[in-house]
Amino acid sequence: MMTTATAMMATILSLAMMILATAISKKNNEDREKSSPFECGFDPKNSARLPFSSRFFLIAVIFMIFDVEIALLLPMPITMTTSNTKAWMLVSSAFLLILIVGLYHEWNQGSLEWSN
């Protein structure tokens, strides 16, 4: 009971301090100098916002997805020795099947083609 009351008081005190700090801070989000790009104190000649290739972004996202999945695949051989062999084979096969189907889908959609 005492631990719960202490935790609730700590939470309430923390929230009160954060709300108070936000209320009295002098932060101005719409500052022209902070939102403009820095070019040695001069006004920029042209826009610093260059067009972004959505194709590159799509390939980067696909790479990140498959990179995380590879990180999940690496411990599979190690866990084979400590788990049930049939269950391990079922889970590993299902995971690899999902990866292969996903790769095939991305390849079929043309998402892996760099130039179009």
Side-chain angles (χ1 to χ4, degrees), residues 89-110:
M89 285 296 284
L90 182 67
V91 170
S92 299
S93 299
F95 189 70
L96 287 172
L97 182 68
I98 291 170
L99 279 179
I100 291 169
V101 167
L103 180 63
Y104 175 74
H105 175 71
E106 296 297 332
W107 194 349
N108 196 22
Q109 292 291 323

Side-chain angles (χ1 to χ4, degrees), residues 29-83:
N29 291 335
E30 298 299 322
D31 188 12
R32 180 183 174 273
E33 295 298 324
K34 288 184 180 178
S35 64
S36 66
F38 179 73
E39 283 193 20
C40 301
F42 298 105
D43 287 332
K45 294 180 183 176
N46 47 9
S47 176
R49 308 290 185 238
L50 298 174
F52 185 72
S53 171
S54 60
R55 193 88 170 139
F56 172 76
F57 180 73
L58 178 64
I59 289 178
V61 168
I62 291 171
F63 170 77
M64 288 302 297
I65 290 170
F66 283 107
D67 191 41
V68 168
E69 290 171 351
I70 292 297
L72 293 174
L73 282 173
L74 286 175
M76 276 189 177
I78 299 169
T79 60
M80 181 179 72
T81 60
T82 60
S83 63

